[in-house]
Amino acid sequence: MIICPKCGKENQDHYKFCLGCGNELPREARGGVRPTPSGASAPAGPRPAAVTPFVSGQSSPALVPAPFAPPAAAPVAAPVAAPVATSAAPAGPVSGAPGGIGYPSVCPQCGSSNPRSNRFCITCGFDMSTAVATASAVATAGAASPLGAPPPAVAAPAAPAAPAAPAAPAAIERARLVLVRPDGSEGPTYSLHDGENRVGRDAGGVFGSDTYLSPHHATFTVSGALINIRDEGSLNGVYVRIERQVPVDLQHGDVFRIGQEILRYESLPAVTPQPDGTERLGASADGLVGRVSLVTGRDSVGNAFPMPTAGIYLGRERGDILFPEDGYVSGLHCQLIVSGHRVSLLDVGSSNGTYVRLRGPRALNNGDFLLLGQQLFRLQHV
């Protein structure tokens, strides 16, 4: 018998690998030589009993077996790597096998015959449990896919997607409204594209926080280089700045603005007696063509100033009508001119300009200034 130096299991003399752990057995032990405690080789076979020296008091020498020393550890050869992972569970138990587990009787690696209780091949040391795990995996796969089962269905190729509709061309910016701050610097801008462009509080952005703007205040209609503006019935109107030293005709009820002052021009019709000859009481209108009233609300006015045929001047320091508390009004701001039956408004070179409220749609030019709510914008073509 050969005793495995690794696990102590007894093996027959012709075994090359231990049945207990698969360790390669010492070659000298397989050749009939048993290792001794000192490491020297000794002939295999029954060990002779060691004779102890005679001790006084004993009737006869005693034969005491020499203590057995385990053989020196021999180099251990690594077992051959198994072709299949050993983590799989072995196949079903075989009757008569130790622990209820049976192993192949023929080594799959070297073809040597082995008892079914051997886990490791006695010739090459192959781990028989890996062959059991392989057989178990094949059996499981066969049960999952029985012979004759139809092959898995192959999904039909997807129909080609319909071509996407061409994207709409991006809107082209034709012009923009540039915010002019009170100090004259430029602020945010609002782009104007071909077609209608609605502005007001609902447009958000630069218009969203101005409570003097109506939700839909005005509409800009753009067609290439042509730009028109239309007031959409807003509460506070749309004002366009007139050119300096260029008179603009006024009609009865027209509204204009200088600084923070909103003024309305009203013509005075000739007073004629009633059919029965009765005349209306009141101030004489001789030499007057109209009046200028300070607008304080949608349907209310404050002070009214008569306008003679010689015309009048308006300003902060000089003129016939003064607004000394309004710092946005120039010293001499504008003039109302009477020429026959026509009345015109003329900006005489003010710093902040004179603005007329729109009566209807109007064409705009590059560089025009507009008052929308409490904000001043300059139109800029791109």
mmCIF file of all heavy atoms in Angstrom, residues 148-174:
data_model
loop_
_atom_site.group_PDB
_atom_site.id
_atom_site.type_symbol
_atom_site.label_atom_id
_atom_site.label_comp_id
_atom_site.label_asym_id
_atom_site.label_seq_id
_atom_site.Cartn_x
_atom_site.Cartn_y
_atom_site.Cartn_z
ATOM 1 N N GLY A 148 -36.867 17.078 -32.321
ATOM 2 C CA GLY A 148 -38.037 17.254 -33.179
ATOM 3 C C GLY A 148 -38.797 18.527 -32.910
ATOM 4 O O GLY A 148 -39.771 18.809 -33.589
ATOM 5 N N ALA A 149 -38.404 19.252 -31.850
ATOM 6 C CA ALA A 149 -39.115 20.503 -31.565
ATOM 7 C C ALA A 149 -38.859 21.495 -32.692
ATOM 8 O O ALA A 149 -37.770 21.535 -33.262
ATOM 9 C CB ALA A 149 -38.634 21.093 -30.243
ATOM 10 N N PRO A 150 -39.850 22.280 -33.038
ATOM 11 C CA PRO A 150 -39.668 23.221 -34.151
ATOM 12 C C PRO A 150 -38.630 24.268 -33.792
ATOM 13 O O PRO A 150 -38.499 24.639 -32.624
ATOM 14 C CB PRO A 150 -41.056 23.859 -34.303
ATOM 15 C CG PRO A 150 -41.709 23.664 -32.982
ATOM 16 C CD PRO A 150 -41.189 22.372 -32.436
ATOM 17 N N PRO A 151 -37.852 24.698 -34.750
ATOM 18 C CA PRO A 151 -36.843 25.733 -34.466
ATOM 19 C C PRO A 151 -37.520 27.022 -34.054
ATOM 20 O O PRO A 151 -38.678 27.257 -34.361
ATOM 21 C CB PRO A 151 -36.122 25.882 -35.820
ATOM 22 C CG PRO A 151 -37.133 25.443 -36.838
ATOM 23 C CD PRO A 151 -37.921 24.353 -36.171
ATOM 24 N N PRO A 152 -36.800 27.833 -33.258
ATOM 25 C CA PRO A 152 -37.410 29.102 -32.820
ATOM 26 C C PRO A 152 -37.798 29.966 -34.005
ATOM 27 O O PRO A 152 -37.123 29.994 -35.030
ATOM 28 C CB PRO A 152 -36.283 29.759 -31.993
ATOM 29 C CG PRO A 152 -35.032 29.097 -32.456
ATOM 30 C CD PRO A 152 -35.418 27.685 -32.813
ATOM 31 N N ALA A 153 -38.928 30.622 -33.814
ATOM 32 C CA ALA A 153 -39.444 31.468 -34.898
ATOM 33 C C ALA A 153 -38.501 32.648 -35.139
ATOM 34 O O ALA A 153 -37.951 33.221 -34.200
ATOM 35 C CB ALA A 153 -40.834 31.992 -34.548
ATOM 36 N N VAL A 154 -38.318 32.949 -36.379
ATOM 37 C CA VAL A 154 -37.468 34.077 -36.758
ATOM 38 C C VAL A 154 -38.359 35.266 -37.081
ATOM 39 O O VAL A 154 -39.293 35.155 -37.874
ATOM 40 C CB VAL A 154 -36.592 33.707 -37.973
ATOM 41 C CG1 VAL A 154 -35.724 34.896 -38.381
ATOM 42 C CG2 VAL A 154 -35.740 32.491 -37.661
ATOM 43 N N ALA A 155 -38.085 36.373 -36.403
ATOM 44 C CA ALA A 155 -38.924 37.561 -36.610
ATOM 45 C C ALA A 155 -38.784 38.052 -38.043
ATOM 46 O O ALA A 155 -37.694 38.068 -38.618
ATOM 47 C CB ALA A 155 -38.510 38.674 -35.641
ATOM 48 N N ALA A 156 -39.914 38.395 -38.601
ATOM 49 C CA ALA A 156 -39.905 38.907 -39.978
ATOM 50 C C ALA A 156 -39.216 40.269 -40.000
ATOM 51 O O ALA A 156 -39.309 41.038 -39.049
ATOM 52 C CB ALA A 156 -41.331 39.053 -40.490
ATOM 53 N N PRO A 157 -38.497 40.558 -41.041
ATOM 54 C CA PRO A 157 -37.827 41.869 -41.109
ATOM 55 C C PRO A 157 -38.840 43.006 -41.080
ATOM 56 O O PRO A 157 -39.915 42.918 -41.659
ATOM 57 C CB PRO A 157 -37.075 41.819 -42.453
ATOM 58 C CG PRO A 157 -37.790 40.763 -43.247
ATOM 59 C CD PRO A 157 -38.286 39.757 -42.247
ATOM 60 N N ALA A 158 -38.485 44.029 -40.331
ATOM 61 C CA ALA A 158 -39.394 45.178 -40.183
ATOM 62 C C ALA A 158 -39.553 45.885 -41.525
ATOM 63 O O ALA A 158 -38.622 45.962 -42.320
ATOM 64 C CB ALA A 158 -38.857 46.152 -39.145
ATOM 65 N N ALA A 159 -40.758 46.377 -41.728
ATOM 66 C CA ALA A 159 -41.023 47.107 -42.967
ATOM 67 C C ALA A 159 -40.221 48.401 -42.963
ATOM 68 O O ALA A 159 -40.028 49.022 -41.918
ATOM 69 C CB ALA A 159 -42.510 47.419 -43.085
ATOM 70 N N PRO A 160 -39.725 48.803 -44.086
ATOM 71 C CA PRO A 160 -38.946 50.053 -44.123
ATOM 72 C C PRO A 160 -39.800 51.241 -43.705
ATOM 73 O O PRO A 160 -40.973 51.346 -44.037
ATOM 74 C CB PRO A 160 -38.517 50.158 -45.601
ATOM 75 C CG PRO A 160 -39.494 49.297 -46.350
ATOM 76 C CD PRO A 160 -39.864 48.179 -45.408
ATOM 77 N N ALA A 161 -39.184 52.097 -42.888
ATOM 78 C CA ALA A 161 -39.912 53.258 -42.382
ATOM 79 C C ALA A 161 -40.244 54.219 -43.524
ATOM 80 O O ALA A 161 -39.481 54.356 -44.481
ATOM 81 C CB ALA A 161 -39.077 53.980 -41.331
ATOM 82 N N ALA A 162 -41.397 54.829 -43.385
ATOM 83 C CA ALA A 162 -41.812 55.794 -44.405
ATOM 84 C C ALA A 162 -40.866 56.986 -44.378
ATOM 85 O O ALA A 162 -40.400 57.395 -43.315
ATOM 86 C CB ALA A 162 -43.239 56.253 -44.141
ATOM 87 N N PRO A 163 -40.544 57.538 -45.504
ATOM 88 C CA PRO A 163 -39.636 58.687 -45.511
ATOM 89 C C PRO A 163 -40.224 59.857 -44.732
ATOM 90 O O PRO A 163 -41.417 60.142 -44.808
ATOM 91 C CB PRO A 163 -39.489 59.020 -47.006
ATOM 92 C CG PRO A 163 -40.696 58.395 -47.666
ATOM 93 C CD PRO A 163 -41.019 57.166 -46.850
ATOM 94 N N ALA A 164 -39.371 60.458 -43.919
ATOM 95 C CA ALA A 164 -39.833 61.584 -43.097
ATOM 96 C C ALA A 164 -40.168 62.780 -43.982
ATOM 97 O O ALA A 164 -39.552 63.014 -45.021
ATOM 98 C CB ALA A 164 -38.751 61.977 -42.101
ATOM 99 N N ALA A 165 -41.182 63.507 -43.526
ATOM 100 C CA ALA A 165 -41.574 64.705 -44.276
ATOM 101 C C ALA A 165 -40.459 65.733 -44.196
ATOM 102 O O ALA A 165 -39.791 65.856 -43.174
ATOM 103 C CB ALA A 165 -42.860 65.283 -43.697
ATOM 104 N N PRO A 166 -40.226 66.443 -45.251
ATOM 105 C CA PRO A 166 -39.151 67.452 -45.217
ATOM 106 C C PRO A 166 -39.435 68.515 -44.165
ATOM 107 O O PRO A 166 -40.585 68.933 -43.972
ATOM 108 C CB PRO A 166 -39.172 68.045 -46.634
ATOM 109 C CG PRO A 166 -40.543 67.723 -47.173
ATOM 110 C CD PRO A 166 -40.938 66.418 -46.541
ATOM 111 N N ALA A 167 -38.395 68.870 -43.428
ATOM 112 C CA ALA A 167 -38.555 69.867 -42.372
ATOM 113 C C ALA A 167 -38.900 71.226 -42.980
ATOM 114 O O ALA A 167 -38.443 71.581 -44.061
ATOM 115 C CB ALA A 167 -37.264 69.977 -41.563
ATOM 116 N N ALA A 168 -39.747 71.943 -42.234
ATOM 117 C CA ALA A 168 -40.126 73.280 -42.696
ATOM 118 C C ALA A 168 -38.910 74.191 -42.669
ATOM 119 O O ALA A 168 -38.083 74.111 -41.756
ATOM 120 C CB ALA A 168 -41.226 73.852 -41.802
ATOM 121 N N PRO A 169 -38.760 75.028 -43.670
ATOM 122 C CA PRO A 169 -37.593 75.915 -43.682
ATOM 123 C C PRO A 169 -37.619 76.863 -42.488
ATOM 124 O O PRO A 169 -38.676 77.297 -42.029
ATOM 125 C CB PRO A 169 -37.744 76.686 -45.006
ATOM 126 C CG PRO A 169 -39.201 76.569 -45.351
ATOM 127 C CD PRO A 169 -39.657 75.245 -44.804
ATOM 128 N N ALA A 170 -36.457 77.120 -41.953
ATOM 129 C CA ALA A 170 -36.364 78.012 -40.791
ATOM 130 C C ALA A 170 -36.796 79.425 -41.178
ATOM 131 O O ALA A 170 -36.531 79.895 -42.289
ATOM 132 C CB ALA A 170 -34.931 78.023 -40.262
ATOM 133 N N ALA A 171 -37.502 80.067 -40.241
ATOM 134 C CA ALA A 171 -37.954 81.435 -40.492
ATOM 135 C C ALA A 171 -36.750 82.367 -40.623
ATOM 136 O O ALA A 171 -35.771 82.240 -39.872
ATOM 137 C CB ALA A 171 -38.869 81.896 -39.365
ATOM 138 N N ILE A 172 -36.830 83.264 -41.568
ATOM 139 C CA ILE A 172 -35.735 84.198 -41.822
ATOM 140 C C ILE A 172 -36.034 85.507 -41.106
ATOM 141 O O ILE A 172 -37.110 86.080 -41.255
ATOM 142 C CB ILE A 172 -35.563 84.440 -43.329
ATOM 143 C CG1 ILE A 172 -35.265 83.110 -44.041
ATOM 144 C CG2 ILE A 172 -34.461 85.447 -43.591
ATOM 145 C CD1 ILE A 172 -35.179 83.238 -45.545
ATOM 146 N N GLU A 173 -35.089 85.969 -40.323
ATOM 147 C CA GLU A 173 -35.245 87.237 -39.622
ATOM 148 C C GLU A 173 -35.068 88.377 -40.615
ATOM 149 O O GLU A 173 -34.024 88.494 -41.269
ATOM 150 C CB GLU A 173 -34.223 87.351 -38.488
ATOM 151 C CG GLU A 173 -34.395 88.600 -37.648
ATOM 152 C CD GLU A 173 -33.305 88.744 -36.600
ATOM 153 O OE1 GLU A 173 -32.191 88.245 -36.851
ATOM 154 O OE2 GLU A 173 -33.554 89.365 -35.566
ATOM 155 N N ARG A 174 -36.100 89.194 -40.748
ATOM 156 C CA ARG A 174 -36.058 90.326 -41.667
ATOM 157 C C ARG A 174 -35.703 91.630 -40.965
ATOM 158 O O ARG A 174 -35.114 92.530 -41.577
ATOM 159 C CB ARG A 174 -37.408 90.490 -42.358
ATOM 160 C CG ARG A 174 -37.840 89.320 -43.200
ATOM 161 C CD ARG A 174 -36.918 89.116 -44.380
ATOM 162 N NE ARG A 174 -37.395 88.063 -45.277
ATOM 163 C CZ ARG A 174 -36.743 87.676 -46.369
ATOM 164 N NH1 ARG A 174 -35.590 88.231 -46.683
ATOM 165 N NH2 ARG A 174 -37.235 86.703 -47.116
#
